[in-house]
Amino acid sequence: MSAFGLSDTPLDPAALARELASASAGACVNFEGWVRNHNEGKAVLRLGYQAYAPLALAEGERILTEARERFAIEGARCVHRTGELAIGELAVWVGVSAAHRDAAFAACRYVIDEIKRRVPIWKNEFYADGASGWLHPDGTPV
Amino acid sequence: MQYRLLYFASLRDRTGCAAESLVSTAADPRALYAQVAERHGLSLPPERLRVAVNGEFAGWDRSLRDGDEVVFLPPVSGG
């Protein structure tokens, strides 16, 4: 099974965490990215995510492989949403299991940081004033 | 040569399409983007974009072949 996935339907974090279950793991760290109702001082009503799926899947898989090589972890899994999301919905889930917590925390942080930096997924914010804008790393909608 | 171009995010909004086929003499992504940017009035400079060819990241000077799928990737904002 692929460790990185895209989903156009709501994520089930409990089910995803169960996939990491292991008798030799003493730690499981999860990160949940939620849809927030504001950004850069603007009220946000909802988000839309687009992905270039073939490359997003390949790059996401590479990041999880890197995490397993760099940190003393057992399992690493990540799923990112696509499509339209409401405030409070789960946009991205990362889970890492390891024998000990230090590696699990560090690897989880590595995975979400690299996902945000490298995977071809884009966020469109829909604002309360009726405008919308695709976000780029400097926060400037284009 | 004929290329298949895919557009995402702000580039999709600006071009008004998710994909198009384009006949072009451009031999690499750099030349192809210059044509596409002029054709659609794209404002993002190539320094802010990455390129993918046939589903993998590629350099701006890569030699393109007939039928290649080329994607100009705006700065990503997942998470």
Side-chain angles (χ1 to χ4, degrees):
Chain A
M1 185 188 67
S2 298
F4 181 84
L6 296 169
S7 173
D8 59 5
T9 57
L11 306 180
D12 180 349
L16 290 166
R18 279 196 298 275
E19 295 176 15
L20 294 171
S22 159
S24 53
C28 181
V29 170
N30 300 160
F31 172 80
E32 296 188 358
W34 294 358
V35 177
R36 186 179 56 215
N37 71 354
H38 64 95
N39 194 37
E40 303 278 325
K42 290 182 174 176
V44 174
L45 299 180
R46 60 192 167 88
L47 295 183
Y49 284 100
Q50 275 178 11
Y52 178 30
L55 184 52
L57 293 170
E59 190 69 357
E61 208 65 44
R62 271 193 285 272
I63 289 165
L64 294 172
T65 299
E66 289 165 14
R68 284 189 295 270
E69 290 168 353
R70 287 168 179 240
F71 304 96
I73 61 175
E74 290 197 6
R77 181 104 165 83
C78 177
V79 184
H80 202 296
R81 277 295 311 275
T82 57
E84 301 257 314
L85 278 75
I87 301 303
E89 273 200 86
L90 182 52
V92 56
W93 187 92
V94 180
V96 174
S97 63
H100 302 286
R101 68 184 181 284
D102 281 354
F105 274 115
C108 189
R109 179 65 192 252
Y110 176 82
V111 170
I112 186 61
D113 286 354
E114 293 302 301
I115 296 289
K116 289 175 75 83
R117 194 172 72 80
R118 290 161 48 186
V119 175
I121 298 173
W122 298 271
K123 177 189 300 177
N124 196 9
E125 289 184 338
F126 294 86
Y127 302 112
D129 64 7
S132 69
W134 291 98
L135 292 193
H136 296 310
D138 61 4
T140 308
V142 171
Chain B
M1 289 186 284
Q2 180 154 324
Y3 303 119
R4 178 82 173 157
L5 287 93
L6 307 183
Y7 299 109
F8 293 94
S10 57
L11 294 186
R12 182 177 294 185
D13 287 359
R14 193 63 66 94
T15 61
C17 63
E20 67 176 345
S21 290
L22 195 64
V23 175
S24 170
T25 56
D28 59 28
R30 190 182 306 281
L32 185 60
Y33 184 70
Q35 286 184 359
V36 165
E38 183 171 350
R39 171 187 168 94
H40 291 294
L42 305 180
S43 56
L44 274 173
E47 304 81 58
R48 294 196 64 198
L49 305 172
R50 294 185 77 182
V51 181
V53 177
N54 300 331
E56 285 295 339
F57 290 118
W60 286 95
D61 298 323
R62 176 196 172 114
S63 292
L64 294 175
R65 295 179 178 185
D66 189 49
D68 276 349
E69 178 183 280
V70 183
V71 188
F72 300 108
L73 304 161
V76 301
S77 53

